[in-house]
Amino acid sequence: FSSRWETCWFKVELSIPPAWAGQEVHFVWESDGEGMVWRDAQPVQGLTKEGEKTSYILTSSMKETEPHSLTLYVELACNGLFGAGKGSMIAPPDPDKRFTLSKAELVVFNRDVYELLVDLEILLDMAQLLGEENQRSFQALCTANQMVNVCDVTDPSTFPAARALAAAIFSQRNGESQHTIHAMGHCHIDSAWLWPYEETIRKCARSWVTVVRLMERNPELTFACSQVVGAEPDLCALQAQQFEWVRSWYPGLYKQIQDFVAKGQFIPVGGTWVEMDGNLPSGESMVRQFLQGQRFFQQQFGRVCSEFWLPDTFGYSAQLPQLMRGCGIRRFLTQKLSWNLVNSFPHHTFFWEGIDGSRVLTHFPPGDSYGMHGRVEEMLKTVKNNKDKGRVNHSAFLFGFGDGGGGPTQKMLDRMKRMSDTDGLPRVQISTPDQLFSALEKESSQLYTWVGELFLELHNGTYTSQAQIKKGNRECERILHDVEVLSTLAMARGSEFQYPASQLQRLWRLLLLNQFHDVLPGSCIQLVVEDALQYYAEIRRAGAGLQQEAVQSLCRELLEPEAGNAGSTLVVNTLPWERTEVISKAGPAGTETLALVTVPSMGYAVVREPLLPPQPVVVRKQEDGSIAMENGVIAACLDVMGRVTSLRLVESQRESIPDGCCANQFALFDDVPLYWDAWDVMDYHLETRKPVTTVLKPLEVTLAGGLRGSVSFSLQIGKSSTLTQEIILDATCPYLRFLTQVEWKEAHKFLKVEFPVQVRSTNATYEIQFGHLQRPTHWNTSWDWARFEVWAHKWLDLSEHGFGVALLNDCKYGASAHGNVLSLSL
């Protein structure tokens, strides 16, 4: 029935037979779509076959006073735990996919048989996994054998004796030195990925109502919840955002969650508005992630987070420790670096030091997962894998289905209860993030320190995938910066101006939502991309209006015609340094004219008479079709394909381009990764480099000089794509601008532009949030060549003593510097 993303409602009328008195009664529901049981107009149980949740407990022991007839409603979403893809788990939605209901039953649950099966599972895992050299494996095997001998499946009266045998071995205790595992319920819910934002609201409700039911039956259960999502009624997000969704859409459930937060069982962690990408958001965006997240936690739960919880993003900026400490966070948990393709990260517990020297205590769960199931094998792996077990004796263990939601199950808890302190196994305790980190802090004196970025050696393609999302993020970050600068100046100048705090918070939350770690990286389905682009369009539209209001208030007198300003132009500079640049302004009859203007830092100026440049731009076409451009600061020569064959500083005559090389060289690479298209690009793609050389329109002059000179050309890329570029040189300007438009129709291809420069340095410098870092330009070690494709913000630079060349951009993040070649991924 039904196709993807639709919703079906089932009315279920139940009648429990009187003969079932005293029995545990379940309503069983199995479907390949996610479901939620509603009772008395409230959600009471999530149903997800993939998450091993297929029943709702009606009663643990049917009493005469309990209703024997009742009506339930099942809300069935036409998508599974991992969306609505075809075949493999990670796949785009299948337009032909249909969903089925395979079972709807009222059953008696035999709790004694269930407990016996869990006992046997643990014993058999111990027998198999502890090894022949460990006597406990033989003890476990012998006990299991005795249980089978004692137990008569047709006679329930034999079950207690069999269970007593298991209890005897589980009650044999560990020594004091045994490793302690801190188990915490967990449910990672991607705010958007293989499903749209709106479906995440229901995933939160399905997962969290299930956790609430578990807490009611297991008062020892703790659940670390790192999502707070909640924005407009028609939006969704993560971290602080997911709590807000549930508060808006499921107020009854939210009240129950608040009660369990007060009891210390439902534990908000994270500290940010969404679990954002750890590389691409600007410094200001990252501060806003923490600001919005911590403010929500304080308002809703009376506390801020002391742990930053970011288990599933694609690398971690070297600026994060400073930002964490500045936002009251001194602890950090993740596990994604266990995915490194080349080098195994050397620690699981360590201090992480940022670019300013700030340090945070960092822990990677040694089981290398945030979705454990509480099995013996996972406990043993947690201890065996731990690279710091000689220095600390505590590890995190996050259990529950994740990514698409789901969370912990009763069976996971029951497994771990049997392993709480059993000889031969690590000690397992239900714990909290604070208890874990407090224990680690007490043992931290011997821990190592990792300085700089935590670079993930995988998913390098996410720096470039979905170019329109990358462009929207950068543009909207700039727009919100400008609105805040102008609004602050307007408010400081006149008390009648009302600072647009609520409007800005709404726009910031839209932008922060789109910085979720599967949206901004571009590793989401097309439906999510369309939503994200709509949110960027809304920020642009509303941001432009707020800018206009601020400028009108700030410069009202200057904008009035009677003020003698006819024919003049108001120019605003929102950056913190004085700027002298060529601008375009509207001329008579809709034409555009150019003017050279100087505007003070964070200020404005009225331009009546434009400045005259000390030297005009000169553009000359040579006999061979090449074009020379010069403005007294720099001089450039370009060939007919638009490649820069020479770029010199006029004063020193220092040449930037090596002999025989060309900059602005476009190159096309094959892009067939080992794993996932949207995420990955592999180092072997570099072996497939093909320079783009097919000219559709050769280089020609479009502006002959004066205040501005420009040239343009067009190239064919691959079989079906085209590229048009305008190269601009303005008066007094120390750089060339490249305005590039690509009509992209290729598949499994990767387009870059390369700039070989006459500079020698073993390190290149890249802008990051509120700073910069250096990465090697050589591949001496595996750690070096694993960085064959890296991320940067607005610039990368290669410099030697006294001279350097920088490559700037307004919407790109993927980059590299190998040898003397600066490369930008388009």
Side-chain angles (χ1 to χ4, degrees), residues 249-418:
W249 289 75
Y250 304 93
L253 172 59
Y254 188 75
K255 177 62 172 64
Q256 296 176 64
I257 290 172
Q258 285 183 309
D259 291 342
F260 281 107
V261 170
K263 293 177 183 177
Q265 289 182 257
F266 203 109
I267 304 167
V269 295
T272 52
W273 187 246
V274 303
E275 287 186 2
M276 73 281 193
D277 180 82
N279 298 322
L280 308 187
S282 70
E284 186 62 32
S285 289
M286 283 191 169
V287 168
R288 300 306 175 105
Q289 290 282 359
F290 285 105
L291 173 66
Q292 294 290 337
Q294 293 285 57
R295 179 178 291 167
F296 182 92
F297 286 122
Q298 182 66 55
Q299 291 172 348
Q300 293 296 313
F301 305 115
R303 57 180 289 268
V304 295
C305 295
S306 59
E307 304 89 13
F308 182 33
W309 200 276
L310 193 60
D312 187 34
T313 194
F314 312 140
Y316 305 88
S317 167
Q319 182 57 275
L320 275 170
Q322 182 179 4
L323 297 182
M324 282 186 246
R325 293 304 297 262
C327 297
I329 292 173
R330 64 184 190 276
R331 301 157 165 178
F332 176 48
L333 183 142
T334 186
Q335 61 82 48
K336 197 65 178 184
L337 261 65
S338 66
W339 288 48
N340 270 8
L341 198 60
V342 182
N343 299 284
S344 176
F345 193 78
H347 304 294
H348 281 101
T349 306
F350 58 99
F351 285 104
W352 180 24
E353 185 175 303
I355 60 175
D356 75 321
S358 297
R359 296 202 310 171
V360 291
L361 178 60
T362 301
H363 182 68
F364 298 171
D368 296 340
S369 173
Y370 49 72
M372 295 296 203
H373 293 174
R375 304 191 70 102
V376 171
E377 180 180 13
E378 297 167 341
M379 302 299 174
L380 297 176
K381 178 183 178 182
T382 294
V383 178
K384 181 179 179 180
N385 263 19
N386 193 329
K387 296 185 174 72
D388 301 280
K389 53 180 172 276
R391 288 175 282 275
V392 291
N393 207 27
H394 297 262
S395 297
F397 185 93
L398 309 181
F399 64 95
F401 287 92
D403 290 331
T409 68
Q410 184 65 52
K411 181 174 282 190
M412 296 175 189
L413 278 167
D414 290 336
R415 287 168 178 152
M416 289 184 290
K417 288 175 183 176
R418 288 158 171 80

Side-chain angles (χ1 to χ4, degrees), residues 460-467 470 521 750 789 812-814 825-826:
N460 316 61
T462 59
Y463 315 146
T464 305
S465 290
Q466 295 295 349
K470 305 297 195 289
F750 195 178
E789 177 80 4
K812 297 298 173 185
Y813 296 92
S825 298
L826 306 181

Side-chain angles (χ1 to χ4, degrees), residues 191-213:
S191 288
W193 179 32
L194 303 175
W195 51 88
Y197 281 127
E198 288 185 346
E199 185 56 36
T200 309
I201 301 176
R202 297 196 295 181
K203 282 181 174 289
C204 292
R206 286 190 289 263
S207 301
W208 295 355
V209 74
T210 300
V211 170
V212 167
R213 295 289 84 79

Side-chain angles (χ1 to χ4, degrees), residues 116-279:
L116 268 174
L117 290 173
V118 177
D119 286 343
L120 283 167
E121 177 194 299
I122 301 298
L123 289 170
L124 292 174
D125 281 351
M126 290 174 66
Q128 182 179 13
L129 298 169
L130 289 179
E132 293 185 2
E133 70 281 1
N134 191 326
Q135 71 168 1
R136 287 292 281 174
S137 67
F138 290 94
Q139 292 172 353
L141 181 60
C142 288
T143 301
N145 185 64
Q146 286 178 281
M147 290 174 65
V148 172
N149 292 338
V150 167
C151 182
D152 181 350
V153 295
T154 66
D155 183 3
S157 67
T158 64
F159 295 173
R163 291 214 61 210
L165 292 168
I169 194 168
F170 294 146
S171 64
Q172 293 172 340
R173 303 306 181 201
N174 273 301
E176 292 184 8
S177 66
Q178 184 59 271
H179 193 88
T180 299
I181 288 177
H182 293 252
M184 291 165 266
H186 191 249
C187 177
H188 183 68
I189 305 176
D190 286 325
S191 288
W193 179 32
L194 303 175
W195 51 88
Y197 281 127
E198 288 185 346
E199 185 56 36
T200 309
I201 301 176
R202 297 196 295 181
K203 282 181 174 289
C204 292
R206 286 190 289 263
S207 301
W208 295 355
V209 74
T210 300
V211 170
V212 167
R213 295 289 84 79
L214 282 173
M215 287 180 172
E216 290 171 345
R217 297 191 297 274
N218 303 270
E220 77 281 4
L221 171 62
T222 60
F223 180 72
C225 184
S226 63
Q227 327 282 8
V228 186
V229 188
E232 310 305 301
D234 57 339
L235 303 180
C236 314
L238 187 61
Q239 293 287 90
Q241 198 66 96
Q242 289 179 2
F243 278 115
E244 176 63 21
W245 275 339
V246 172
R247 186 175 72 89
S248 300
W249 289 75
Y250 304 93
L253 172 59
Y254 188 75
K255 177 62 172 64
Q256 296 176 64
I257 290 172
Q258 285 183 309
D259 291 342
F260 281 107
V261 170
K263 293 177 183 177
Q265 289 182 257
F266 203 109
I267 304 167
V269 295
T272 52
W273 187 246
V274 303
E275 287 186 2
M276 73 281 193
D277 180 82
N279 298 322

Side-chain angles (χ1 to χ4, degrees), residues 136 195 343 347 354 462 479 527-528 534-535 582 640 726 823:
R136 287 292 281 174
W195 51 88
N343 299 284
H347 304 294
T462 59
I479 288 169
L527 196 60
V528 178
Q534 288 180 9
Y535 299 161
V582 175
V640 293
E726 182 181 16
S823 178

